[in-house]
Amino acid sequence: MYQQLVTHNGKFHADDVFASVILTQLFPELSLIRTRDEKITDDENNFVYDVGGGEFDHHGIDDQRQHENGVPMAAFGLIWQKFGETYLKTTMPTITSDLIVKTKAHVEKSFIIGIDALDNGVTTYQSPAFTISDAINDFYDEDHDLESFKSAIAFAKGVLENHIYKTVAKLIAEKEVIEHATFISDELLLLPVVGTWKDYVEHFDKCRFVVMPRKDGNWMIQGVPVSHGSFQVKQPLPQINKPWIIFIHRTGFMGVVDTQEHALSLAKSLIDNSLL
């Protein structure tokens, strides 16, 4: 059994802070120290990461470990790869094993790769917006090194857990959508339940519109994006005045009507180019 968790001292970054979130959860009995003292980092009785040149340090010149999209791994990715499923089982013990596997992969793709990319200077993921890495680094206080590191861990723990919970909810909702989805035609999908649908619909090139209920009792017709993450849709809705049309967004990406029947009728007329 390990004696203590060990990572580098000095300026910390999002990758070692988020890695520490996982490790302090899985090894709560171990104390955490920050040092570059080789006597400590070379001690096999310590769990050492992001320093020391071992299994969980990515700073070696010849380190070729990377995510599926080619982004080099940092400490966060290396720890997630090894302990992600165990961490998810500990954090959400009631979810099924297949959902754990899907959640692990989704969180890596949607969150961890970005952290690892920033730590490795992969500029594709850089943004002028304030990043998670910026927020983490703001906790650093040179005069109170360990205390500020632990404060950053507490912040990062909330961020990571929130992302995981939302990912699980999204995957469950997406499963419901797939089970209940009905293609009225190749170009029109009816969803009788509210849920995440865009990732699913991306697999169907011809689909142009999705009709689904709203929580307020009305129905929505939404255009399918031209590509993943795009705000542009394949066929925008024109501005149409009908008593049963409640709202059409000025960009045409979606509209709200009073009933499922009217939503389907509107979608079919747009597809057939026979405006009501």
Side-chain angles (χ1 to χ4, degrees), residues 6-253:
V6 179
T7 190
H8 64 82
N9 59 358
K11 188 75 172 179
F12 50 75
H13 308 97
D15 77 315
D16 45 297
V17 170
F18 276 103
S20 298
V21 170
I22 296 171
L23 295 174
T24 54
Q25 176 77 19
L26 297 183
F27 304 100
E29 73 282 1
L30 301 183
S31 59
L32 170 65
I33 66 170
R34 306 187 71 233
T35 182
R36 296 181 188 274
D37 185 336
E38 293 183 0
K39 291 182 181 179
I40 297 175
T41 60
D42 290 344
D43 189 340
E44 294 182 356
N45 293 311
N46 293 328
F47 191 110
V48 184
Y49 56 103
D50 210 35
V51 69
E55 180 182 358
F56 301 106
D57 183 18
H58 66 107
H59 295 102
I61 295 176
D62 298 324
D63 198 324
Q64 301 296 316
R65 292 172 295 181
Q66 59 186 27
H67 295 277
E68 287 186 1
N69 66 347
V71 169
M73 285 189 172
F76 190 21
L78 294 172
I79 293 296
W80 186 257
Q81 183 183 56
K82 182 83 171 182
F83 297 102
E85 288 189 22
T86 304
Y87 176 77
L88 290 170
K89 289 176 184 177
T90 302
T91 306
M92 305 186 73
T94 61
I95 65 174
T96 61
S97 56
D98 65 320
L99 190 53
I100 285 176
V101 172
K102 291 179 181 178
T103 300
K104 180 188 175 187
H106 193 284
V107 170
E108 178 179 355
K109 181 179 179 180
S110 63
F111 188 77
I112 294 171
I113 289 177
I115 300 294
D116 281 8
L118 286 169
D119 195 78
N120 283 296
V122 179
T123 56
T124 305
Y125 288 83
Q126 298 283 358
S127 167
F130 195 74
T131 67
I132 288 292
S133 294
D134 294 326
I136 292 294
N137 292 339
D138 267 4
F139 281 92
Y140 179 67
D141 184 335
E142 186 175 359
D143 295 329
H144 302 89
D145 182 282
L146 186 57
E147 289 79 5
S148 61
F149 188 73
K150 288 181 177 179
S151 295
I153 290 175
F155 168 79
K157 182 176 184 290
V159 173
L160 179 59
E161 288 183 351
N162 183 63
H163 189 77
I164 288 170
Y165 294 147
K166 287 190 174 180
T167 296
V168 170
K170 175 182 178 180
L171 291 173
I172 291 173
E174 188 176 70
K175 183 174 183 291
E176 279 199 42
V177 163
I178 294 172
E179 290 175 348
H180 294 89
T182 300
F183 276 96
I184 305 301
S185 69
D186 289 344
E187 297 165 295
L188 175 57
L189 177 66
L190 170 63
L191 302 179
V193 296
V194 179
T196 305
W197 57 272
K198 290 184 180 179
D199 289 348
Y200 171 62
V201 175
E202 280 182 1
H203 299 292
F204 304 95
D205 294 336
K206 293 182 179 180
C207 190
R208 284 193 268 171
F209 295 108
V210 176
V211 166
M212 71 197 84
R214 286 166 53 95
K215 292 181 179 180
D216 60 8
N218 293 312
W219 282 75
M220 179 165 63
I221 172 174
Q222 186 156 348
V224 175
V226 296
S227 61
H228 182 77
S230 174
F231 290 102
Q232 181 182 357
V233 295
K234 296 177 182 178
Q235 183 176 346
L237 280 68
Q239 293 296 324
I240 305 173
N241 292 317
K242 293 287 182 180
W244 42 266
I245 294 179
I246 298 168
F247 170 75
I248 293 180
H249 194 275
R250 63 182 180 83
T251 64
F253 86 94

